[in-house]
Each structure stands twice: as C-alpha cells, then as structure tokens.
Amino acid sequence: MLWSICCLVIFIAYAPGWNGPFVFDDQLNILENPNVPIHDLNEQNIIRSTLSNESGPLKRIIPALSFGLNYYFADGFKSIHFKLFNIAIHCINSGLVFWLLTLLWPSVCHTSWAQQSRLSNPRVAFAISGTLIWALHAFLLTSVLYVVQRMTSMASMFMLMGTCLYVVGRLSLEKQPAQGLSLMCLGLIAGTVLGVACKENAALLPVYIGALEFTLLTQLHSSQQTIKKVRWFFIIFLGLPILAGLLYWFQHPSFITGGYGGRPFTFYERVLTEPRVLWFYLSMIIVPDIQTMGLFHDDFKLSSDLFSIWTTLPSIIGIIILLILSIAWRKRFPVFAFAVLWFLVGHSLESSVFPLEIIHEHRNYLPALGPLLAISYLLLFALPSKIPNGLRICMIFLVIFCLGFGTFQRAHYWSSESTLIESLAVNHPDSPSSQYLRGEILRKREKNFEGAYAYYLRAAELSPEEAGFLISLSMVTPDSFTQLETQLDSLQLARSDYIVNIIHQKPMGAWGIRALDVAIKCVMSGNERCLSKANDVASWLQALIDKPKGKSAHRYYSLVHLFAIRMKQNRFADALATANTGIKLNPNNPRFVLMQAHALIGLNRLDESEKLLDNIQRSSAGRVPKYAQRIIQLKQTIGLIRNKKT
C-alpha cells in the first residue's frame, strides 16, 4: 500500500516529462543505432539488440535489450514508452530503498537519537520518509528522464536488490549461519554480476556493502564467531579483488593514464578538480537548485593547480576531514559515517582518477542515498524531542512536498527539446555545450541562421578548441563576413584554416563528429548555402585523415565522405586520389576499390573501372550482398555511358 502511494506520487512528479524528447547520447546509443530495434521477437533480433551497445567493454546488455523491447512493444521510437519504462524502474528502486531502510532499522534504532523517539511506528516513518526524499529529489532526474541513463538506474536496481539480500542474510547470520552466508553471497554476487551487465560501476557493490557493514551493521549485537565470518567474507569478496585491481594498475599504469590523450584535461587537473565536484554534488543534494542543475556542466572550471581556484585546497581538505570523521565516529554517529562513506564509495570510480568527463548529475543516483538517508534521520529524530509528533511529521512532509514540486518543475524543462535546451542556455550562459545546442535548435527547427550564429559564436568563444562548435559556426557564417575577419578576432574562429589546425592538433570528440556529420549531409543535400562551404568541409575531412595518431574509425569515416563530396562537385581526379589513399591505408577493404572504380567512371576511364569491378566480383568480396549490388550498379552505369557514345 505504501509503495503504491510512493509510485503514484513519483509518476505525478515526473508527469510533465512523460512526452519529453530523446536527447544527446540517446541519439547515438538508441535512435541512430541500427541494431537496437527489434522488429520480430526471434532469436537473431534479440541477440543483435542485446549486443547493440558499445558504451562499455561488456556492452551493457540488459539495458540494451530493454531499448529493443521498448521499440518492439511501442512499434517505434516513441519517447513516452521509453520514459515511462524509466520511471517504472525508478519506482521499483524506490520500493527497494524502502525495503533496505526497513531492514536497516534494527541498526538505526540503537542510535541515541532514535531511542528517544516518541513516534508510534518509527521504523515505517524512517523508511517512508527516506524513500520519498530520495525518490522525489530533483537532482536524480537525469537518471530517470534521460533515456540512455537507464543504464544507471538499472544497475542501481540490481545493486539495491543485492544489498537487500545481503542485509537479510546478515540479520539471520547469528541464528542461521548457513542460510545467512548463502543469502549474503547470493546478494553480493548476483547483484554485482547483473549490475555490471547494466553499467560497469556496479562493480562497486562489494565496497558499498563494505561501507554498510563498517558503519550501520556494526550496531548489531553479534558474537565473535559471527564477526569472524563477516571478516573472512570481506577478505574474500572485497580485499582480494581490490588487491588484484591495484596489482593490475601498478603493472599497467596506461590502463588509466592512457585514456587522457583524448581528453581536454590532464590527469593532474582531474584529480584536483574532482573534490570541488564532490562538494558541488553535496550542495545540490542538501540544497537543491533546479536552475543550477543541468544536462551539461562544462562551465565548471578546471583546477590547474592547488591555488588557481581558491576553493581547490579547502575542498580537498574538507573531503579528507569528512573521511577521517566518518571513520573515527562510525560507532558514535553511525548514520553520519554511513552517509559519508556511501557517498564517497559511490563516486570512487567516476569521480576519481579515471579519464571520464569531469561532472555528470546521473552519477549521484545511488550515492545520493547516503546523505539523503542522513537528512531523513535528522528530520525524524534529531529535532528537539519536545516537538509534537504531528508538527514533526508535517515538517517532513513539507520537505517532501518541496522536493517533489522541484522535480515537477524541472520535469517541465524536459517536456520538449526546445524548452529543455532553452532552459540550459539561460541557466548556464557559460556552458559552451548549452549555447551550442540552443544554436542547433534555432538553425534546424526555426531556420533562424542569424540567431544560431550568435549562439554558435558564444560556444566557440567559450571553447575555442572544440572543433564541433567551430564547424557549426563556420557553416552559418555569411561569406560577406570574411571581409571583416582581419578586424574582428572572434571571426577568426570561423576561418577554415583555423579549424583545420584545431582538428589536426586537438582530440576530435563527439561534438566534432556530430557537427561534421551535419555539415556533410547539408552539402550532399545540395543546399545552396552549404554548397558554398563544400571546399571547407572537404579540408576538415582531409585534416581528420592526416591527423597524427587519429582514430582509424574517424579516418575511415572521413575518407568515405570526402570521396562523396568530391564526386558531388564533379572533381573526379580528387575523388580518385581519396580512394587511392583509402586503399593505401586499408588495402583489404573492398569499399575503397569500389570508390576507385566509381571515380574512374567519372574520369571516363571505363575499361580500367570495369577491370577493377571484375576483379572484385571474382574475389570473396563479390559474394557479399552489399558489394555485389554495388558492382551491378556501377557496371550498369558503364553500360549506359557506352550506349550513349554509340
């Protein structure tokens, strides 16, 4: 009954976002991924959809399959079905949080403040208040309405299930050792395995449970024999894996440091910045501000040293103090210790040394449970005992109502793509990504090129080394502006040679490929405005081909599209040169030989082209349907040209 009410409240709080858009990573991972859709429930389609995701080494198979099933039952990519599924997962997780808090009550009730409670049913009050405070917090919204972050919420679902099973086993360990140990092992192993199949950070489940055991579960009255079993349990399931991980890291340091080559920050900058990020997260958890929250936080300044930003050193010291106090006070203030350690454990992968993006709100979905449980505990038990119970409950529900209303208001931002991006641009004027996306909306939806130019320029000024922003700016910059380039420094950002230099020297990220793809499609569509930029687009693709230590996938992408643009321009000799470069770099790829044959047709070297096509047709590639079909098309073209000559 209580869980049903929680679910109803959650669905109401998220109601404005039910019909919201697919955004950002949803495009690449879901909408533009040809392997996601399941058209028929057969083994081949299910396996293809299950293995469709490339986000992690384990392919995150469970959420990947769920996207395909959503497509099948919704008969297409209808966002409301995907969003409601995410909200349903959030409701399941709220039920698991309620169960976990109920299970933890025997540990919490031994604390001094809880023992003084005059509530008639403090266990239920603690569980329901903690659940609603967590479930209705606006800071967790991106893990719910951002469809692709189902990976986060599903991983958390299995982690919460595993934690609950562990606690059930731990509570019965004293009287039923065999059953208790079995449930503890089942919870930890199954929760970790299923969680990792959703997202890799579920590997932290043994550490989460370790933090729980180290703080709240030490309040249980346990015999020395039981304590000894628990110690051996964690030596096997936590100590040994951590030791193995550290040994691997020391033997393969490039496992972490090697990933920084494609990032706009260094290892040192990330390590110094993340303590400030953690304090930002805590501030949003304790005092939520939906205008400060957002999809992007690339306006968060990097700490280049301990003193470049004055809060860097205090943030580091503050985190160290919190960690020391949580260990020193774990018996005196176990709820405080749990809140701190649970939060820090949750961020020990994504907010530490690994070369991930600096800041994302969805990383707080499960870690936020620690601080929010402490807030619930303080509201219920730490207020003066003389406060009437009715007033105390009213205060708690006022807090819950305010949190739910904040989520409802933020869900309004997510009701459409235009309202979301406009809110991001307004609330984050120094975020280049937010400014850039506002420009995208103005250009694509409203065909307002002048308005788009202003936002693209702002994004490029904020991040002058991001190729994607520069490419989009250049594509909407009128040719008449080129006369002013020597007078205005900002117009230098739109110069083709400047962009070529950036592509050649700086990492090419998702924004760059996305902007380049839009520019290519615009040129190939024959749009007059874009055709005037065709040579610029070709020069950017050539820069990506020539890029030192560039990604092979980017080089292949650039060769294919540069060839298409040159053929569009009837510059067949340049197209042939591009095809020859492709063969040189990828001698075993038949696609480049077909491109070579196509260019030769344009140059009217029909015999040479036909000879190449015959060679491919006789090879194993000629039996591949897509290549065989292309060979037939090109031979038909050769036949038509010869017929016209005769």
Side-chain angles (χ1 to χ4, degrees), residues 166 188 204-215 234 238 341:
Y166 173 87
L188 189 142
L204 287 173
L205 180 58
V207 195
Y208 270 119
I209 293 176
L212 185 61
E213 182 69 50
F214 186 68
T215 55
F234 281 101
L238 182 57
L341 292 179

Side-chain angles (χ1 to χ4, degrees), residues 240-250:
L240 293 180
I242 289 177
L243 181 61
L246 290 174
L247 287 173
Y248 182 85
W249 183 11
F250 289 139

Side-chain angles (χ1 to χ4, degrees), residues 559-560 563 575-576 578-579 590-600:
L559 286 164
V560 170
F563 174 83
L576 180 59
T578 301
R591 182 166 186 174
F592 292 115
V593 182
L594 290 170
M595 287 162 52
Q596 193 179 44
H598 191 188
L600 288 170

Side-chain angles (χ1 to χ4, degrees), residues 129-303:
S129 63
T131 300
L132 287 173
I133 286 173
W134 177 81
L136 295 176
H137 203 290
F139 200 45
L140 308 184
L141 180 139
T142 54
S143 300
V144 182
L145 291 184
Y146 191 177
V147 175
V148 78
Q149 290 310 325
R150 180 182 302 175
M151 298 172 183
T152 297
S153 58
M154 278 190 124
S156 298
M157 178 177 70
F158 290 118
M159 293 168 78
L160 285 168
M161 285 182 183
T163 304
C164 289
L165 284 175
Y166 173 87
V167 176
V168 171
R170 178 67 174 84
L171 292 174
S172 63
L173 186 61
E174 188 76 27
K175 295 181 178 179
Q176 297 174 300
Q179 178 182 311
L181 277 174
S182 298
L183 286 172
M184 289 163 65
C185 292
L186 176 64
L188 189 142
I189 295 172
T192 302
V193 171
L194 292 173
V196 167
C198 299
K199 195 172 183 180
E200 293 72 22
N201 63 353
L204 287 173
L205 180 58
V207 195
Y208 270 119
I209 293 176
L212 185 61
E213 182 69 50
F214 186 68
T215 55
L216 290 178
L217 295 181
T218 56
Q219 302 298 305
L220 298 173
H221 298 297
S222 302
S223 66
Q224 285 299 316
Q225 188 177 6
T226 298
I227 293 173
K228 186 177 180 180
K229 290 175 183 175
V230 171
R231 286 175 180 170
W232 274 107
F233 181 90
F234 281 101
I235 288 172
I236 295 170
F237 288 106
L238 182 57
L240 293 180
I242 289 177
L243 181 61
L246 290 174
L247 287 173
Y248 182 85
W249 183 11
F250 289 139
Q251 292 177 356
H252 305 86
S254 61
F255 169 67
I256 292 176
T257 57
Y260 282 89
R263 291 294 184 185
F265 49 82
T266 65
F267 174 86
Y268 186 61
E269 286 174 328
R270 178 177 173 81
V271 170
L272 291 179
T273 304
E274 285 303 325
R276 291 174 41 237
V277 171
L278 292 176
W279 283 109
F280 167 76
Y281 289 156
L282 282 172
S283 70
M284 288 297 100
I285 291 169
I286 297 170
V287 187
D289 179 1
I290 62 172
Q291 292 186 331
T292 303
M293 299 174 193
L295 189 59
F296 305 106
H297 289 281
D298 48 352
D299 48 356
F300 198 90
K301 303 298 182 185
L302 292 172
S303 296

Side-chain angles (χ1 to χ4, degrees), residues 269-555:
E269 286 174 328
R270 178 177 173 81
V271 170
L272 291 179
T273 304
E274 285 303 325
R276 291 174 41 237
V277 171
L278 292 176
W279 283 109
F280 167 76
Y281 289 156
L282 282 172
S283 70
M284 288 297 100
I285 291 169
I286 297 170
V287 187
D289 179 1
I290 62 172
Q291 292 186 331
T292 303
M293 299 174 193
L295 189 59
F296 305 106
H297 289 281
D298 48 352
D299 48 356
F300 198 90
K301 303 298 182 185
L302 292 172
S303 296
S304 57
D305 57 56
L306 286 172
F307 307 104
S308 60
I309 298 176
W310 74 268
T311 54
T312 302
L313 186 58
S315 296
I316 295 171
I317 294 172
I319 293 295
I320 293 172
I321 290 173
L322 275 182
L323 184 59
I324 292 172
L325 290 178
S326 66
I327 295 172
W329 290 351
R330 69 186 183 94
K331 292 185 177 180
R332 186 179 178 186
F333 300 114
V335 175
F336 166 79
F338 167 78
V340 172
L341 292 179
W342 184 273
F343 177 78
L344 293 179
V345 164
H347 286 289
S348 60
L349 283 182
E350 294 176 304
S351 299
S352 58
V353 299
F354 294 92
L356 304 171
E357 291 195 30
I358 294 293
I359 180 170
H360 276 302
E361 291 179 10
H362 65 260
R363 294 173 182 170
N364 291 275
Y365 188 71
L366 195 54
L369 179 60
L372 292 175
L373 181 146
I375 290 171
S376 173
Y377 174 84
L378 290 173
L379 290 172
L380 274 172
F381 306 122
L383 294 174
S385 58
K386 294 181 180 179
I387 294 179
N389 287 339
L391 179 59
R392 187 186 296 268
I393 297 298
C394 286
M395 291 173 63
I396 292 171
F397 273 98
L398 179 61
V399 170
I400 292 170
F401 174 80
C402 290
L403 289 172
F405 185 72
T407 298
F408 186 82
Q409 287 291 99
R410 195 179 181 198
H412 268 290
Y413 291 159
W414 286 69
S415 61
S416 70
E417 187 177 36
S418 58
T419 56
L420 172 61
I421 291 174
E422 185 174 358
S423 71
L424 293 174
V426 171
N427 294 332
H428 293 269
D430 294 327
S431 164
S433 297
S434 300
Q435 301 303 306
Y436 171 75
L437 284 179
R438 180 59 179 147
E440 290 279 273
I441 289 292
L442 291 172
R443 181 175 65 86
K444 291 181 180 178
R445 299 285 176 85
E446 303 177 22
K447 306 301 180 185
N448 182 355
F449 291 95
E450 291 182 1
Y453 174 82
Y455 282 96
Y456 286 150
L457 178 59
R458 176 63 176 157
E461 288 174 335
L462 288 167
S463 185
E465 295 183 350
E466 173 51 64
F469 304 155
L470 304 176
I471 289 169
S472 295
L473 173 64
S474 182
M475 292 299 291
V476 298
T477 300
D479 292 335
S480 59
F481 280 23
T482 55
Q483 300 172 2
L484 303 173
E485 286 179 349
T486 56
Q487 302 174 32
L488 298 175
D489 291 339
S490 60
L491 290 177
Q492 296 289 332
L493 297 170
R495 286 177 58 91
S496 180
D497 56 348
Y498 175 76
I499 299 172
V500 166
N501 187 51
I502 290 296
I503 292 173
H504 199 256
Q505 295 183 3
K506 302 296 179 181
M508 191 69 165
W511 286 126
I513 295 298
R514 173 176 172 160
L516 200 52
D517 196 52
V518 170
I520 292 165
K521 289 176 180 176
C522 193
V523 169
M524 296 304 294
S525 71
N527 181 286
E528 186 177 347
R529 174 190 286 268
C530 296
L531 280 175
S532 67
K533 303 281 187 180
N535 285 333
D536 291 343
V537 177
S539 69
W540 303 332
L541 289 169
Q542 189 63 55
L544 203 50
I545 294 168
D546 298 336
K547 185 180 178 66
K549 298 181 180 179
K551 294 182 179 179
S552 57
H554 289 174
R555 190 171 289 114

Side-chain angles (χ1 to χ4, degrees), residues 596-613:
Q596 193 179 44
H598 191 188
L600 288 170
I601 293 172
L603 291 168
N604 205 28
R605 293 159 60 177
L606 303 182
D607 292 340
E608 293 178 62
S609 178
E610 192 169 37
K611 184 177 179 181
L612 282 175
L613 292 173

Side-chain angles (χ1 to χ4, degrees), residues 556 563 567 575-576 578-580 582-583 586-602 608-617 619 621-635 638:
Y556 177 82
F563 174 83
M567 294 297 289
L576 180 59
T578 301
N580 290 338
I583 292 172
N586 302 271
N588 298 321
N589 193 326
R591 182 166 186 174
F592 292 115
V593 182
L594 290 170
M595 287 162 52
Q596 193 179 44
H598 191 188
L600 288 170
I601 293 172
E608 293 178 62
S609 178
E610 192 169 37
K611 184 177 179 181
L612 282 175
L613 292 173
D614 288 339
N615 290 338
I616 301 173
Q617 199 166 34
S619 70
R623 294 189 292 274
V624 177
K626 64 178 180 179
Y627 295 140
Q629 185 178 3
R630 185 61 176 157
I631 291 168
I632 293 170
Q633 290 173 348
L634 291 175
K635 282 193 171 185
I638 291 172

Side-chain angles (χ1 to χ4, degrees), residues 63-189:
L65 176 60
S66 74
F67 295 141
L69 292 172
N70 274 158
Y71 178 93
Y72 176 79
F73 289 108
D75 195 24
F77 288 119
K78 298 172 184 176
S79 66
I80 186 171
H81 293 268
F82 286 78
K83 304 272 185 178
L84 289 176
F85 193 91
N86 277 24
I87 296 170
I89 293 172
H90 188 53
C91 287
I92 292 171
N93 288 343
S94 72
L96 292 169
V97 168
F98 181 85
W99 185 23
L100 177 62
L101 297 187
T102 303
L103 291 171
L104 290 176
W105 177 248
S107 299
V108 174
C109 70
H110 292 301
T111 61
S112 58
W113 284 339
Q115 287 177 340
Q116 297 172 15
S117 173
R118 295 185 298 161
L119 294 170
S120 58
N121 196 338
R123 181 177 191 166
V124 173
F126 173 68
I128 194 67
S129 63
T131 300
L132 287 173
I133 286 173
W134 177 81
L136 295 176
H137 203 290
F139 200 45
L140 308 184
L141 180 139
T142 54
S143 300
V144 182
L145 291 184
Y146 191 177
V147 175
V148 78
Q149 290 310 325
R150 180 182 302 175
M151 298 172 183
T152 297
S153 58
M154 278 190 124
S156 298
M157 178 177 70
F158 290 118
M159 293 168 78
L160 285 168
M161 285 182 183
T163 304
C164 289
L165 284 175
Y166 173 87
V167 176
V168 171
R170 178 67 174 84
L171 292 174
S172 63
L173 186 61
E174 188 76 27
K175 295 181 178 179
Q176 297 174 300
Q179 178 182 311
L181 277 174
S182 298
L183 286 172
M184 289 163 65
C185 292
L186 176 64
L188 189 142
I189 295 172

